[in-house]
Amino acid sequence: MLKSGLYGKYKGVECEITLDMDNNLKIITEDKLNIDATFEYNYNSGFYSKIVKPNELLDCVSIVPYGIIQEEKVQILKEKESQYQVATDSLLVGSNLNLTRVDRDTWLGWVSKSKVTLIEEKTPINPEDL
């Protein structure tokens, strides 16, 4: 599964981190096995969330995925079964990959996962700074 965004460990379990509209730090998970009665079920979405304090989180990182195709770096936006949706601002890369030009400087399209080397750029973050 493609990860993108903020993640941290809560009680040893990795969860996605987000801020709500009131600037509360929240963790989100789909895994029913790792929740307790303090989690809220969010509007039939399949996701459970809980407001936490920054000091309850460990190993927090920001994850930005990108791919290497034909020795060129591309953004990875989405994932489906056997493909990644990729984007680039390079005319040469966009043309070589037969991507669709969606504006002056952006080419977008779906590429087989077998053609992409997936790289997750992980940057440590301090949850106190969120």
Side-chain angles (χ1 to χ4, degrees):
M1 184 173 86
L2 185 65
K3 286 186 184 179
S4 179
L6 305 177
Y7 290 83
K9 288 187 180 173
Y10 174 76
K11 295 186 178 181
V13 177
E14 186 177 66
C15 297
E16 189 170 357
I17 302 170
T18 189
L19 292 173
D20 68 11
M21 292 182 357
D22 295 322
N23 245 11
N24 294 311
L25 190 63
K26 289 182 118 177
I27 56 172
I28 299 172
T29 184
E30 292 179 85
D31 190 354
K32 286 183 182 181
L33 299 175
N34 292 316
I35 64 167
D36 58 29
T38 62
F39 280 76
E40 295 178 351
Y41 187 62
N42 296 93
Y43 310 108
N44 296 322
S45 65
F47 292 96
Y48 299 86
S49 66
K50 177 179 181 168
I51 295 174
V52 296
K53 292 181 172 54
N55 64 358
E56 295 180 276
L57 297 172
L58 299 173
D59 302 327
C60 297
V61 293
S62 170
I63 299 176
V64 178
Y66 66 91
I68 303 294
I69 304 174
Q70 301 171 0
E71 299 181 22
E72 297 288 343
K73 184 176 178 178
V74 295
Q75 291 177 289
I76 297 187
L77 305 175
K78 295 181 185 176
E79 173 185 35
K80 61 181 179 182
E81 296 159 10
S82 61
Q83 296 180 315
Y84 291 120
Q85 184 182 42
V86 299
T88 183
D89 60 0
S90 166
L91 170 63
L92 182 61
V93 174
S95 296
N96 286 344
L97 296 175
N98 294 320
L99 302 179
T100 301
R101 189 175 191 173
V102 294
D103 69 25
R104 191 184 80 135
D105 294 321
T106 306
W107 286 261
L108 184 68
W110 290 92
V111 177
S112 171
K113 286 182 179 180
S114 63
K115 295 181 179 181
V116 181
T117 301
L118 177 64
I119 299 173
E120 288 183 338
E121 189 173 273
K122 295 181 180 183
T123 307
I125 60 167
N126 182 350
E128 297 279 349
D129 296 336
L130 297 176

